[in-house]
Amino acid sequence: MALNRVGFLAIAMVFHLVYIYSIFDIYFVSPIVSGMQLFELNRPEGAKAPADRLVLFVGDGLRADKAFQSFPDPTPESEDTDLTPRPLAPFLRSRVLEHGTFGVSHTRVPTESRPGHVALIAGLYEDVSAVATGWKLNPVNFDSVFNRSRHTWSWGSPDILPMFEKGASPGRIDAYCYDAEFEDFSQDAVHLDHWVFDHVKDLFAEAERNKTLNAALKQDKIVFFLHLLGLDTTGHSYRPYSKEYLNNIKVVDQGVKEITELIKKFYGDDRTAFVFTADHGMSDFGSHGDGHPDNTRTPLITWGSGVAKPVVHQGSVAPGHDDYSSDWNLDHIKRHDVHQADVAALMAYLVGVEFPANSVGELPLSYLSGTIREKAEAYLVNAQEILEMYRIKEVSKKTTQLRYKAYKPLGANAKAPEDRLQTIQGLIEAGNYEEAIEETAVLIKLGLEGLRYLQTYDWLFLRALITVGYIGWIGFALTTVIDLHVLQGTTQPSRSLAGVVLFSSVLVTLYASFISSHSPLTYYAYAFFPVFFWEEVYARRESLVKGRQALFGHVQSGGKVLNLIINAVSYLGIIESLALGYIHREILTVLFCVGSIYPAVLGISFLQEHAVLSATWFVSCLVMSTFTLLPPAMKTENVTLILLGGLVMVGVGIAYLVFEEKILADFSDASTPKSSRRENHISRALIGIQIGLTLLAMFVTRSSALSLQAKQGLPRGNFVVGWFTLVISLLMPLAHRLQPNHHYLHRLLVIFLTFAPTFVILTISYEGLFYCAYCITLLSWVRLEHYSQIFATSPPEHTGSNGATKPTSSVVPSDFRPLKLSDARVALFFFVLLQSAFFSTGNVASVSGFSLESVSRLQPVFDPISQGALLILKIMIPFALISANLGILNKRLGVAPSALFMVAMALSDVLTLYFFWVVKDEGSWLEIGSTISHFVIASLLCVFVAALEGVSAIFISGIKVDKGKPTPDQKRVINGNGAAMDTVVELVVGEAKEKEPVAGEQT
């Protein structure tokens, strides 16, 4: 029995959700292992660690270039103030020039607070999926420098500190956090950093009076951690080039200076090491998360006990500098770049504790002031810790593999790691320190490569399995579409014993290998789907044969074959170009420009008959093409553009009220007398209320934006009115049930006005104008497709409407016409418009493609859950519109409600497969992070399309599409297919009523 529509959609969603999870089994496997021996440098009797205590300053969200560049005073005291560019962090700069070592710390993706702090403090690059765990209390379930210390005092954000406190040994870490309400994006965030500095001062003031506290502070191996969130909050609100962000750098520098002097005075022994760095950077758009260099390059400045002095090259450019640091005026000071995890190894060495378990940091020897022997010995201990991690992971992998293949450089045929360690130890004892350091560096590199080898051990098998699964899904989806919507259920699956045995044997073999290797449960699901899909395709081979005849039976001449090939190549080319659009938004500009001339392809007669429609489509496509040439709408707030977009929305609503009777008359039976038309006062009043809500949204948005820009916070009244407007506007469709109007144009207008206030409140620039242009384009598309399908319908003597051989009498009668080859074009247009909803106002394929300015008008206090929900709501609105329009187009074309959605779902995985094949696990973190996020988004797209069908069904429930009077020729086509063919309707998108009769209308 053929699979029904609901079953297909259920399989589509389950399959894609399961296969999306495959990315976690491939790329996001946690690197954490347990049971390892910890290593600490064995020092001579009475010898001390380089420092008794360590102070870690983390300027959350501080970019490396902003920390070192010079700027005019961002907050001049008077107009006469000298605006000559000067360093904003003079104290930290003095550490670079005279007291310590500096460089750039390179982070990994995702450039978010949790993984950044974990890398800094634990020396571990937590799996990428852990970014989601940083929004709520999720203790770090692995070792850290804090946990190795004798005691750690920490101050800062409640989003960061508790995860290290709760995950450490009880009583090891004290965390002092401000309330979450302090993280208010509507106010200047320097108060967050002042809070930290003030509370550190309070602790030391208390120690002067409290002997117990004083004694605790005088111990060795203690750590102070100051988490300075002000820069991150300010960067999100005002951007990293703003005077607010630059002023925050001054505040941080002054605070670091005061704390440094306070500690120096309190201890008076110069036995303190200081480390200043950041967890991640900040893009020009005020966001972070992806692998853009602005997000991955952070400052690292160290000074104090155990830290090397600056290496000065007078009169020449010191090593380590490049174009990036050319404007820092630090060319004569050697720059020492490190990986972010190296900071943990550096801190552990300085304060004299064991390297944290699972740390992959490499001790940066150039930052150390010790003797070369001390450096060589410390480096060797670093290598021991990494090789111990490799040993534990290898033992674990051997127990789960039938035929384990060892990493060659550390395998049975190579020199054992233990022998290499002994050789290096011998070099140190012999005084060959330089050679020992070189050999240790090689061994550490091999150890890290070995860890990666074990981390990626199953990749080849999993990639092959996932690829076969996606190809199987495409085949299964197309076969189901042919079964349900081309042949309309006239064929049944044909299974044989041999086929069942073959596919069952393959599945049993895969499962047996999984059981023997103790594979995760997800592996069983990954193997099940390819076998299931390919078995279904094989069982429906008869449907494929008949479907080929139904769809391609008319393609017999050489010219038609060539035309089919050209169209197929063009379709695949457009889909592949959409893949490039994930990186280069301008691709959509090209596609819209090319699509604008589509009516011309239909011929001169079509252009003459539908001139205004063709012109409307042409103009709307050109307007849409401009948005992807503009900077992403998340860089600068523009109240004027917000209000302009709102005015256009209001204008559309008012125009409908003024011309409602004329508009709807164009779409109703001309013979219907006006006296029989239903009164619609309630409906018009509700539309008026929706227009009023849009105006109210404009007013409150302008007021909130100006108040936030003036740093006066979000007024309580604005907060209440904003939420009231948002919620009431989204509930308005329910009110329209009081006086239903089933005309689809009326329904589309109600949907348009429902989301209009939301798109005003949650925008910062031209998104409202995009919203209007997108709606007009969708309406033009629905209308153009319907006209073109009717126009292209020809009544050959022995063919159906799809140009195929007329179905035999065995065809089961259906309320819907079968799909034809030209419907693939409709699915392709839908797919392009769907991508446009993603990328026209920004690049959501980047995990940092967001702006918190808009949501701060409704939620000024940092709350990732509610703020993220509002951002997602804004992103989803265009998809709700396209789902409603495609649902209406389904009705107009007379095809089954799910037919075009199913074709689009099959097409979407061509894109998914492309992204799966180009996923990178090597290279820059920008490339790695981007390719992984592209695959996840493309794979989710199919689930999204499946969900859109449900949304479409809700939006178009109960609408009525007028049935026209077909011509005699069209009646023959209808009878030949056993399906009802909708006639041409007039869709008003800025077009006056045409005087001449349209195609298919009797005169």
Side-chain angles (χ1 to χ4, degrees):
M1 182 177 179
L3 188 69
N4 61 24
R5 161 193 173 192
V6 176
F8 175 84
L9 293 176
I11 291 174
M13 297 189 74
V14 172
F15 164 71
H16 283 86
L17 289 174
V18 169
Y19 263 46
I20 286 171
Y21 192 81
S22 70
I23 204 74
F24 295 95
D25 279 330
I26 298 175
Y27 300 102
F28 298 163
V29 178
S30 176
I32 302 170
V33 293
S34 58
M36 293 174 296
Q37 176 186 351
L38 296 180
F39 295 90
E40 182 183 0
L41 181 62
N42 292 321
R43 294 183 171 85
E45 186 73 23
K48 289 186 176 182
D52 288 341
R53 67 203 67 89
L54 181 135
V55 183
L56 171 63
F57 302 95
V58 176
D60 199 310
L62 177 58
R63 276 168 50 164
D65 56 349
K66 300 302 179 186
F68 297 120
Q69 288 171 339
S70 297
F71 299 91
D73 190 345
T75 56
E77 297 180 358
S78 66
E79 296 182 358
D80 299 330
T81 302
D82 183 8
L83 296 181
T84 302
R86 292 185 176 87
L88 297 178
F91 177 77
L92 288 170
R93 190 178 185 87
S94 70
R95 305 302 97 180
V96 173
L97 294 172
E98 303 168 11
H99 299 278
T101 306
F102 97 108
V104 173
S105 172
H106 297 271
T107 75
R108 290 193 182 184
V109 289
T111 45
E112 297 288 350
S113 290
R114 178 185 171 102
H117 281 91
V118 168
L120 286 171
I121 298 166
L124 167 70
Y125 295 114
E126 197 172 15
D127 60 287
V128 183
S129 60
V131 63
T133 67
W135 291 344
K136 295 297 178 183
L137 177 56
N138 285 277
V140 172
N141 60 345
F142 40 82
D143 204 10
S144 71
V145 173
F146 294 172
N147 194 46
R148 293 291 103 208
S149 70
R150 195 178 307 278
H151 199 89
T152 294
W153 286 267
S154 58
W155 299 265
S157 168
D159 301 310
I160 298 299
L161 269 55
M163 70 180 186
F164 289 101
E165 178 194 14
K166 304 299 183 184
S169 302
R172 183 68 56 86
I173 301 175
D174 288 343
Y176 302 94
C177 307
Y178 39 72
D179 295 334
E181 289 73 18
F182 262 53
E183 300 177 33
D184 191 339
F185 288 91
S186 66
Q187 300 178 6
D188 199 328
V190 296
H191 69 282
L192 299 176
D193 298 336
H194 284 307
W195 187 98
V196 171
F197 295 133
D198 290 343
H199 279 71
V200 175
K201 296 173 185 177
D202 291 342
L203 178 79
F204 283 96
E206 176 66 20
E208 298 290 350
R209 303 183 296 269
N210 187 323
K211 293 183 178 180
T212 303
L213 177 58
N214 190 286
L217 292 175
K218 293 295 177 64
Q219 299 177 99
D220 64 352
K221 299 184 179 181
I222 63 173
V223 176
F224 302 102
F225 171 40
L226 285 70
H227 176 235
L228 307 171
L229 185 63
L231 285 161
D232 183 74
T233 305
T234 303
H236 285 315
S237 300
Y238 301 102
R239 310 298 185 265
Y241 49 78
S242 65
K243 64 178 183 180
E244 291 81 4
Y245 186 89
L246 300 179
N247 180 62
N248 209 144
I249 295 177
K250 292 178 58 179
V251 171
V252 167
D253 181 72
Q254 180 63 27
V256 171
K257 177 183 179 181
E258 293 174 359
I259 298 302
T260 302
E261 293 174 347
L262 173 66
I263 290 177
K264 183 176 181 180
K265 179 180 178 181
F266 181 84
Y267 289 103
D269 58 5
D270 292 328
R271 293 282 299 162
T272 308
F274 298 88
V275 176
F276 179 90
T277 186
D279 54 344
H280 55 73
M282 180 81 66
S283 74
D284 284 341
F285 304 134
S287 58
H288 53 83
D290 62 15
H292 192 280
D294 285 341
N295 296 329
T296 61
R297 292 186 290 210
T298 61
L300 175 61
I301 305 171
T302 63
W303 69 96
S305 183
V307 178
K309 300 297 182 182
V311 179
V312 181
H313 292 252
Q314 293 292 355
S316 64
V317 177
H321 286 280
D322 52 21
D323 291 341
Y324 180 63
S325 57
S326 61
D327 61 347
W328 297 356
N329 293 321
L330 295 172
D331 289 353
H332 60 293
I333 306 296
K334 186 175 181 179
R335 173 180 146 189
H336 306 264
D337 285 12
V338 301
H339 296 293
Q340 193 171 46
D342 300 343
V343 178
L346 172 63
M347 293 192 298
Y349 170 79
L350 288 174
V351 80
V353 300
E354 301 97 333
F355 291 102
N358 291 290
S359 171
V360 295
E362 186 173 351
L363 185 62
L365 300 182
S366 61
Y367 279 74
L368 310 182
S369 65
T371 66
I372 189 169
R373 180 185 177 96
E374 291 173 338
K375 293 181 180 180
E377 290 175 341
Y379 210 28
L380 179 60
V381 175
N382 190 190
Q384 286 178 300
E385 178 263 332
I386 291 174
L387 289 172
E388 174 70 4
M389 193 167 15
Y390 171 79
R391 183 186 68 81
I392 294 295
K393 285 194 173 186
E394 185 179 46
V395 170
S396 175
K397 183 61 67 176
K398 283 182 178 179
T399 60
T400 60
Q401 296 297 319
L402 292 176
R403 297 179 60 186
Y404 172 72
K405 186 178 180 182
Y407 179 57
K408 288 183 179 180
L410 297 175
N413 297 328
K415 190 174 181 180
E418 295 79 7
D419 295 335
R420 290 174 178 266
L421 290 171
Q422 290 181 1
T423 300
I424 295 172
Q425 185 65 50
L427 291 172
I428 294 175
E429 295 298 334
N432 299 322
Y433 305 124
E434 294 285 356
E435 186 178 353
I437 290 174
E438 291 176 1
E439 290 295 325
T440 304
V442 172
L443 187 55
I444 288 178
K445 182 179 179 182
L446 290 176
L448 294 175
E449 290 177 349
L451 288 173
R452 178 164 180 78
Y453 171 80
L454 295 174
Q455 190 85 357
T456 62
Y457 191 86
D458 295 329
W459 278 18
L460 179 61
F461 168 75
L462 286 175
R463 282 173 164 176
L465 188 62
I466 298 303
T467 298
V468 173
Y470 274 116
I471 296 175
W473 158 257
I474 294 174
F476 169 77
L478 292 176
T479 304
T480 305
V481 169
I482 291 173
D483 244 350
L484 291 179
H485 302 302
V486 177
L487 303 179
Q488 299 188 318
T490 59
T491 60
Q492 298 296 324
S494 176
R495 289 182 168 83
S496 63
L497 179 61
V500 172
V501 170
L502 172 64
F503 288 104
S504 299
S505 299
V506 172
L507 189 61
V508 169
T509 302
L510 288 171
Y511 279 12
S513 68
F514 295 157
I515 293 172
S516 62
S517 61
H518 306 286
S519 298
L521 291 176
T522 50
Y523 283 34
Y524 295 85
Y526 302 152
F528 171 78
F529 282 108
V531 175
F532 169 75
F533 289 148
W534 287 111
E535 194 279 333
E536 284 288 329
V537 172
Y538 177 76
R540 300 182 193 180
R541 53 194 180 278
E542 183 181 349
S543 298
L544 294 176
V545 174
K546 291 184 177 180
R548 182 192 64 81
Q549 179 62 25
L551 292 172
F552 303 103
H554 64 291
V555 183
Q556 297 175 352
S557 65
K560 289 186 176 181
V561 171
L562 180 62
N563 184 60
L564 177 64
I565 293 174
I566 292 174
N567 283 335
V569 172
S570 300
Y571 282 23
L572 287 175
I574 291 174
I575 294 175
E576 290 302 309
S577 69
L578 290 174
L580 296 177
Y582 276 58
I583 303 172
H584 306 288
R585 295 168 57 234
E586 298 80 6
I587 295 293
L588 282 169
T589 297
V590 177
L591 292 179
F592 272 112
C593 290
V594 173
S596 67
I597 62 173
Y598 166 65
V601 178
L602 300 175
I604 299 299
S605 57
F606 181 88
L607 292 175
Q608 291 174 340
E609 191 171 353
H610 306 291
V612 180
L613 167 61
S614 300
T616 303
W617 170 254
F618 178 78
V619 172
S620 64
C621 282
L622 291 185
V623 172
M624 284 295 297
S625 72
T626 62
F627 288 107
T628 44
L629 296 177
L630 299 173
M634 59 182 183
K635 187 173 182 179
T636 304
E637 187 176 49
N638 190 318
V639 177
T640 301
L641 287 179
I642 296 173
L643 297 180
L644 182 59
L647 284 175
V648 176
M649 299 174 199
V650 170
V652 171
I654 293 176
Y656 179 85
L657 287 179
V658 173
F659 301 106
E660 179 183 15
E661 184 175 338
K662 183 176 182 181
I663 290 173
L664 296 185
D666 284 347
F667 302 92
S668 60
D669 192 337
S671 63
T672 302
K674 291 185 179 181
S675 60
S676 66
R677 291 175 186 155
R678 184 177 178 180
E679 294 294 331
N680 61 348
H681 296 307
I682 296 178
S683 177
R684 288 174 60 83
L686 291 174
I687 290 176
I689 291 174
Q690 288 185 286
I691 295 172
L693 287 171
T694 305
L695 288 169
L696 183 59
M698 293 168 59
F699 172 79
V700 73
T701 298
R702 179 181 181 277
S703 175
S704 298
L706 294 178
S707 179
L708 292 173
Q709 289 175 4
K711 300 181 185 178
Q712 297 174 353
L714 182 66
R716 183 67 179 176
N718 289 35
F719 175 82
V720 174
V721 174
W723 275 106
F724 171 83
T725 305
L726 179 72
V727 173
I728 296 300
S729 64
L730 295 178
L731 295 177
M732 285 303 296
L734 298 178
H736 278 275
R737 292 186 177 184
L738 295 174
Q739 190 175 66
N741 185 330
H742 297 297
H743 196 290
Y744 75 94
L745 258 188
H746 179 86
R747 182 70 59 83
L748 287 178
L749 180 79
V750 169
I751 295 171
F752 173 80
L753 292 177
T754 294
F755 295 120
T758 305
F759 236 84
V760 171
I761 296 173
L762 297 180
T763 58
I764 69 168
S765 185
Y766 57 79
E767 301 103 301
L769 295 173
F770 159 75
Y771 177 69
C772 298
Y774 190 65
C775 290
I776 293 174
T777 305
L778 290 176
L779 289 171
S780 302
W781 171 60
V782 170
R783 179 179 180 209
L784 181 65
E785 285 294 352
H786 183 62
Y787 273 109
S788 63
Q789 291 273 11
I790 297 298
F791 184 83
T793 300
S794 58
E797 294 181 3
H798 303 294
T799 61
S801 67
N802 58 359
T805 303
K806 183 177 178 179
T808 64
S809 59
S810 63
V811 173
V812 178
S814 171
D815 293 333
F816 308 106
R817 72 162 173 83
L819 286 179
K820 51 187 179 180
L821 206 56
S822 62
D823 290 320
R825 183 193 66 248
V826 181
L828 184 65
F829 268 89
F830 166 74
F831 201 53
V832 173
L833 289 167
L834 192 69
Q835 298 292 320
S836 175
F838 267 109
F839 298 110
S840 287
T841 60
N843 185 1
V844 300
S846 166
V847 294
S848 65
F850 65 90
S851 171
L852 293 179
E853 273 186 339
S854 56
V855 297
S856 63
R857 301 170 196 149
L858 295 174
Q859 180 61 28
V861 177
F862 180 66
D863 182 4
I865 303 301
S866 60
Q867 291 177 327
L870 289 171
L871 289 170
I872 291 174
L873 172 63
K874 174 186 171 183
I875 293 173
M876 293 296 105
I877 288 175
F879 303 115
L881 295 170
I882 194 173
S883 67
N885 279 273
L886 184 62
I888 290 171
L889 184 58
N890 275 327
K891 282 181 171 286
R892 301 305 303 162
L893 298 181
V895 299
S898 61
L900 295 177
F901 284 102
M902 291 171 70
V903 175
M905 279 189 275
L907 287 176
S908 70
D909 275 331
V910 175
L911 200 61
T912 306
L913 258 183
Y914 170 82
F915 282 127
F916 185 77
W917 288 332
V918 300
V919 164
K920 293 187 176 183
D921 57 281
E922 296 178 347
S924 73
W925 283 102
L926 172 61
E927 296 172 328
I928 296 172
S930 296
T931 55
I932 290 175
S933 63
H934 292 170
F935 165 74
V936 174
I937 290 174
S939 193
L940 276 171
L941 196 60
C942 189
V943 179
F944 194 59
V945 172
L948 283 183
E949 184 185 349
V951 174
S952 174
I954 295 172
F955 280 159
I956 68 172
S957 174
I959 72 165
K960 295 179 181 179
V961 179
D962 298 331
K963 301 296 181 182
K965 301 175 182 179
T967 63
D969 285 342
Q970 288 172 343
K971 287 181 179 179
R972 287 198 296 273
V973 175
I974 294 171
N975 294 333
N977 281 312
M981 174 73 76
D982 292 342
T983 59
V984 177
V985 296
E986 288 289 338
L987 195 58
V988 174
V989 190
E991 177 182 2
K993 183 178 179 181
E994 297 181 9
K995 295 181 180 180
E996 66 274 17
V998 297
E1001 180 183 17
Q1002 288 186 336
T1003 59

